[in-house]
Amino acid sequence: MSNVPENAAAEPKKRGMSQKTQKTIVILVFMAVPLALLLLFTYIPFGKMIQFSFYNMKYIGKRTFVGLANYKQVFKNKELFGSLVVSLYYMGGGVVQLALSLLFATMFVFKVKGEALWKACMFFPYLICGIAIGFIFKFFYFHGYVLDTILMTLGMELEDLPLWLQNTSINNISLAATSVWRYTGQQTILFLGAMMSVDTSLYEAAVLDGCNRWQQFRYIILPSIKSIIVLNIILCVSGCLSAFEPPYVITNGSFGTATYFVKMNSVAHETQKVGLASAMAIILLVIIIAFTVGQQLFFKYVFNNGTDSESREAVRRKKKEEKAAKRLAGKGMRV
């Protein structure tokens, strides 16, 4: 007979359970600090902001519960809600930005001279503080300064040049151009990273088949980076809706350049209508979420959420062919 104790077989199981418990404790301990910080600096302030949106209040003083009055005021006040129209200029700039990013990334994939230098020059604006960029472009656009000097060297007269920051027909376009200059390099690097992950044998096969650069971009690169395109569009739209630094630093929101974020900052800090500003923030959050979900549904319908190489139409075609094949097979069996 064996001298092994009866509970010896149970020891590994107990030991395994204790290891599992230790792992659980370690995971909880490591998660405790980041979760506590997230709760303290994100979720609790967000909950408080929702609470403040139902009050007529300042930072210090008496609070009066007004229900949905702040939300109604945001929609009724054309100056507040109408400032979202300014975001359309930044969205137009975002389209230009995406197109330029795709162009530059594609050029880098097919190799250009001085590639490393061009990449560094394009990505450098993204590393500069937004406030500093605001001051740079404030002097760049100022009447008679950098941009006007460049144009005058090309033969134009100073009197014929517009006031880039005061002319309401072009000042928002000028401000949107600063965002294009700043973020094009960042998006180019994102697109380039996705393009570099494409199998190089596909390019070689395309060249052997006689495909030019445009055909390689359309049929190889574009289908392979749909997910990154969707991500960049979502980031671009959310950034356009919450544009703040260019109009705040360069024009301080004057001459019709105030975006929704600039108006919200003015309401919160200059007039100290904290409840109204909180309601504006909640409305902006809902709009951004709605745009994001709408984009996701759109790209899911058109491009299968930008993750599959086949379009939705191709999937439907394949299903129809499978159904037709089954019908033909069924008829053959009947015969």
Side-chain angles (χ1 to χ4, degrees):
M1 294 182 63
S2 175
N3 294 326
V4 179
E6 294 180 0
N7 59 351
E11 283 184 8
K13 190 174 181 181
K14 289 182 180 177
R15 206 172 291 156
M17 288 293 292
S18 63
Q19 287 178 357
K20 186 177 180 181
T21 304
Q22 288 176 7
K23 287 180 180 178
T24 304
I25 293 172
V26 170
I27 291 171
L28 291 174
V29 169
F30 276 95
M31 288 178 61
V33 175
L35 285 176
L37 293 173
L38 191 65
L39 184 68
L40 182 62
F41 293 106
T42 303
Y43 296 127
I44 292 178
F46 179 70
K48 282 292 182 181
M49 185 176 67
I50 295 175
Q51 178 188 352
F52 293 160
S53 68
F54 297 108
Y55 286 85
N56 182 10
M57 55 176 287
K58 294 185 177 182
Y59 287 106
I60 300 174
K62 185 181 177 181
R63 300 179 182 178
T64 305
F65 182 79
V66 293
L68 297 174
N70 287 325
Y71 292 92
K72 293 177 182 177
Q73 186 177 348
V74 173
F75 287 103
K76 287 181 179 179
N77 193 320
K78 294 181 180 179
E79 187 179 355
L80 295 180
F81 197 72
S83 59
L84 281 172
V85 177
V86 180
S87 301
L88 296 177
Y89 290 96
Y90 293 89
M91 288 186 182
V95 173
V96 175
Q97 179 179 304
L98 287 169
L100 289 175
S101 300
L102 276 172
L103 173 64
F104 293 140
T106 306
M107 290 171 62
F108 290 141
V109 164
F110 294 130
K111 304 301 179 184
V112 294
K113 291 184 178 180
E115 180 182 341
L117 178 61
W118 286 113
K119 287 180 185 177
C121 291
M122 290 186 63
F123 191 71
F124 179 72
Y126 181 69
L127 302 177
I128 305 175
C129 171
I131 303 297
I133 289 176
F135 281 111
I136 290 170
F137 277 92
K138 187 172 186 177
F139 289 103
F140 180 78
Y141 285 127
F142 201 79
H143 193 58
Y145 277 55
V146 182
L147 180 57
D148 289 349
T149 302
I150 294 172
L151 294 175
M152 283 189 291
T153 58
L154 297 176
M156 300 184 70
E157 296 294 334
L158 181 62
E159 293 77 14
D160 298 330
L161 296 174
L163 300 174
W164 303 102
L165 300 177
Q166 298 177 21
N167 190 330
T168 55
S169 62
I170 60 170
N171 53 6
N172 283 307
I173 298 175
S174 302
L175 295 178
T178 65
S179 296
V180 174
W181 180 79
R182 184 183 183 188
Y183 293 107
T184 297
Q186 178 215 14
Q187 292 195 340
T188 300
I189 297 302
L190 289 175
F191 282 136
L192 183 60
M195 292 176 184
M196 295 295 287
S197 64
V198 179
D199 190 357
T200 54
S201 62
L202 295 175
Y203 298 122
E204 295 170 0
V207 172
L208 292 174
D209 289 337
C211 293
N212 55 32
R213 298 299 192 194
W214 165 247
Q215 291 170 329
Q216 291 179 47
F217 171 77
R218 182 179 177 184
Y219 297 108
I220 297 176
I221 295 176
L222 204 57
S224 303
I225 63 169
K226 286 176 183 175
S227 57
I228 301 300
I229 292 175
V230 173
L231 173 63
N232 274 337
I233 291 176
I234 291 172
L235 292 175
C236 185
V237 170
S238 60
C240 292
L241 289 172
S242 56
F244 176 72
E245 290 168 344
Y248 181 74
V249 178
I250 299 175
T251 63
N252 198 24
S254 57
F255 304 104
T257 60
T259 58
Y260 191 81
F261 236 79
V262 173
K263 287 289 184 184
M264 186 166 58
N265 176 74
S266 175
V267 169
H269 299 126
E270 293 179 13
T271 62
Q272 290 199 13
K273 295 180 180 179
V274 179
L276 180 60
S278 299
M280 291 177 70
I282 298 298
I283 290 171
L284 180 63
L285 176 64
V286 172
I287 292 172
I288 290 175
I289 291 174
F291 265 92
T292 303
V293 172
Q295 286 177 122
Q296 290 281 11
L297 292 175
F298 173 77
F299 284 104
K300 183 178 181 181
Y301 179 79
V302 177
F303 297 122
N304 278 346
N305 207 24
T307 55
D308 298 332
S309 59
E310 292 180 298
S311 66
R312 197 174 187 84
E313 188 62 32
V315 174
R316 287 176 179 173
R317 228 182 293 124
K318 184 181 284 188
K319 288 181 179 179
K320 287 181 180 179
E321 290 174 359
E322 289 175 356
K323 287 181 180 179
K326 286 180 181 178
R327 287 175 186 172
L328 290 173
K331 289 180 180 178
M333 290 179 67
R334 288 176 189 173
V335 174

